Amino acid sequence: MLSYYLQLAWRSLRRYKTLTVLMVLAIAVGIGTSMTTLTVLHVLSGDPIPAKSGKLFRVRINTFPDDRFQPTDKTPDNLTRRDATALLGDARGDHQAVMSAGSGVLITPQGEPMRAQARYTTADFFPMFNVPMRYGRAWNGQADTAHARVAVISSQLNDLLFGDQSGVGKTLQFGDASLRIVGVLGSWDMNPRFYDLSNGEYGDSEQVFVPLSTALDLHLGTSGTMNCWGNAKDAHDLDAPCIWLQYWVELDSPAKVAAYQRYLHNYMALQQQAGRFRHPAQVRLQNVMQWLDYKGVVPADVRMQVWLAFGFLMICLLNTVGLLLAKFLRRGGEIGVRRALGASRRDVFMQYLIESLVIGMVGGLLGLVLAYAGVALVRQQPTEYAAFVHMDLGILLMTLLLALVASLVAGLLPAWRAMQIQPARALKAY
Amino acid sequence: MDIGPILSTLRRHKITAMLLIVEMALTCAIVCNAVFLISQRLERMHIPSGVAEHQLVMVQVANIGIQPDAKARTQADLDALRRIPGVKQATLASQVPFTNSSSNTSIRLTPTQKLATVNATQYMGEDLIDTLGAQLIAGRRFRADEYLDYDAVVHNLDLVRNHTPSVIITKALAERLWPGESGLGKQFYFAGVGVRVVGVVKALIRPSLSLGDAAAHWSMVFPMRMSSDNANRYLLRTDPKDRDRVMAAAGKVLRQLDPNRIVLAKKTLDQLRADFFRNDRAMTATLLGVIVALLTVTALGIIGLASFWVAQRRRTIGVRRALGATRAHILRYFQTENFLLASIGIALGMVLAWGINLFLMQHYELPHLPWTYLPIGALALWLIGQLAVLGPALRASRVPPVVATRSV
């Protein structure tokens, strides 16, 4: 039966070629744009570290003095060096790391100066964020306390400086500083760079990693948001009234999360007792996905484009419904003959539904091609995230599913109307 | 024209007619909102900066490590830059418009005030106002003896604490701090230091608009000299036609003076503005694409349906023609029919447009849709409808009266 209906559909579609092309195109364009925007949304709202995103928490506390505190303000993203040092010293999480972005100049083997992005952090950064190592290993906690002159570099920088050899044990001249390379990263792409969104949300990983204590000793250049109140000779001083350090903690179970919450509240209570401030304690502990959501990593424009595309798809579908309806009803005579010859209403309904499905599937396949073209177009756009947008299997299957559902929905009403044609009346008019 | 027969025909094709109406309503609603969104983006992209944009070139460098003689080196850099033919002015600026990198501070009107009045951005650099080409509308420029070295001030705040330094602010900031007054001669405070307003410039945009477009012009300029230790953006003022040459020469000069320095960026201010608003530009293009695609799909839908109706009513048309209707009558019949459908669709579309706008206002920072945008959507739909129906209607008008005598 199905093959017969398919055959009928094919014949009918060929009989009204222009109309068929119109309907297929409408569905294809609607599906193509919807899936392009959905792909962008899907990529941008993806989980950068699926294995651990529920266990990694951004720590935020509000230690502003009372004259800077407004209850309606958001809790700042970063910590003072004093608070970060205290939390790190207590080490209540399974792992914890404090960090800042930075940059410096190094000289390539060709003698050309080049700017390298850096991250100044503490030892747990590497195990906590599952950072793979190609050569050597990351520094340990002792190196942090010893302010060791060491560095870990990216695979790409290693190849640039040392060709295909390992740079471990060699010296990296980073600005004024001479650092011994102890490790080389494997391929590590974190997009969005959830651990620090303040220096561009998307992009390559840093090229140089240095212990924070060492970087502060050597006055290496930091970058990112520096928010100070009061006066400080050097905003990086231990007691400077400045917030600039990111703090992450790994907590492997819900019980540990609760315990850590309590610990942070206790810490804040101690600060209040010490007279630093009297305002209510603001403590925020957010896991990776909550943090990304809070920071609004998915641009508002992208969400709006999804709405637009689905509005567009709806119009394309309405269009198809109207055309199908007109077409089916015009064939009232033919339907009358079929009914008179014994076809049941169900048969008629199925026949026309399958015809709609054929249109939908052809439109869907074409839409898939258009979506690929759309994604290629998005990648040409001058946005930060352009390079990371790509199609995946899930999106591919979803496109076909959407086409199927869309054509079913579009075909339902016309097929329903077609099945209700009275054979007697249709034949009379014929 | 009598619309009675049209209405009675449409009543027999209720569902198809309704579908067409809903389609046109949705299109109208989305087009209204898309046009409004485009106008918002365009307005944002053309926000005035208050500086001589077409005459400015920025060269950003990075130095290796900390330089002990930064002050002397900076002076040498500036001397060399000023010697480039075509350079009218050159300075080292703490920050530059449309670069997204800025230093901001909270301002208080009295030294004891608890919560800050406003957050404003701080520009520094020798002769910065004239180099930028910002227009002084009240008061005076900084005197040469007012300038201090930024480094010296940071290391010894007493330099500014005791003698109330001068500041030049924008008209927008003056208006925000002292509504209705010029602000000239007034004092305000930040980080415990009092400063006095000696001049007001017409406008000077902040480097970053992350605090919202309303705060875009809350800027202050301080009489501070920067050095390569604390600033890395050189600003050059030149003739628009000399910009490219000056930019290339400046990059070369700076590299010659210190081969270990990197030129991070060489851009005209026009380029900086274009980069700054690139997302808005991309979105504008997308919205334009959506409008064109929507109108095309709707037009195709109208053509498809109208063609069917014409084919379906061939016999009726033949009868009408046989009874004396002219070709023009038939043509006008289909045109009026489409006009009627479009009008109902547009009426519905306006309500829908309002609804979509309310939804967008809830989720995005958008103002109310001004009613002036509604006629745009209406006009577009009427026009598209008439254009789309013209072909099928002409075909209908060519149906010969003899059809009436045949049984189809």
Side-chain angles (χ1 to χ4, degrees), chain B residues 54 60 87 123 128 133 143 166 184 188 193 202 211 216 232 270 272 280 282 284 298 343 345 352 364 368 372 394 403:
Chain B
H54 306 314
Q60 187 188 11
V87 171
Y123 278 95
L128 185 65
R143 287 190 310 263
S166 303
L184 221 53
F188 62 82
V193 177
K202 193 173 171 201
L211 288 178
N232 64 359
D270 287 341
L272 286 174
D280 296 278
T284 307
T298 307
S343 300
L352 207 58
Y364 305 94
H368 251 303
T372 40
L394 278 173
V403 169

Side-chain angles (χ1 to χ4, degrees), chain B residues 351-366:
Chain B
V351 181
L352 207 58
W354 202 255
I356 293 179
N357 174 243
L358 286 183
F359 168 82
L360 289 177
M361 276 172 61
Q362 249 177 30
H363 293 264
Y364 305 94
E365 281 167 36
L366 265 184

Side-chain angles (χ1 to χ4, degrees), chain A residues 19 22 67 105 114-115 176 231 233 300-301 303-305 307-308 312 315 319 321-322 325 330 382-383, chain B residues 15 19 23 37 41 64-66 114 155 157 161 262 264 278-279 283 287 294 297 301 308 359 364:
Chain A
L19 194 70
L22 263 179
D67 64 351
V105 174
M114 101 178 208
R115 176 138 98 155
D176 291 339
N231 293 306
K233 269 192 185 148
D301 279 1
R303 291 190 194 279
M304 198 181 286
Q305 281 164 4
W307 284 113
L308 271 174
F312 183 54
I315 287 170
N319 207 345
V321 177
L325 198 61
R330 229 198 131 208
T383 47
Chain B
I15 296 180
L19 280 171
E23 183 180 345
L37 286 174
R41 298 293 166 130
I64 287 196
I66 295 157
K114 259 195 77 175
H155 285 104
L157 273 168
R161 196 166 275 148
I262 310 171
L264 293 176
R278 59 189 185 180
N279 286 346
M283 190 65 182
L287 287 167
L294 271 180
V297 165
F308 260 102
F359 168 82
Y364 305 94

Side-chain angles (χ1 to χ4, degrees), chain A residues 329-372:
Chain A
L329 292 188
R330 229 198 131 208
R331 279 151 64 191
E334 187 190 317
I335 296 169
V337 172
R338 279 206 67 205
R339 293 273 280 122
L341 290 177
S344 68
R345 287 189 168 182
R346 202 173 151 269
D347 292 333
V348 174
F349 183 74
M350 284 308 287
Q351 180 197 334
Y352 287 98
L353 202 61
I354 281 172
E355 187 172 329
S356 319
L357 279 183
V358 170
I359 293 173
M361 284 332 281
V362 177
L365 285 175
L366 196 62
L368 197 63
V369 176
L370 288 182
Y372 265 99

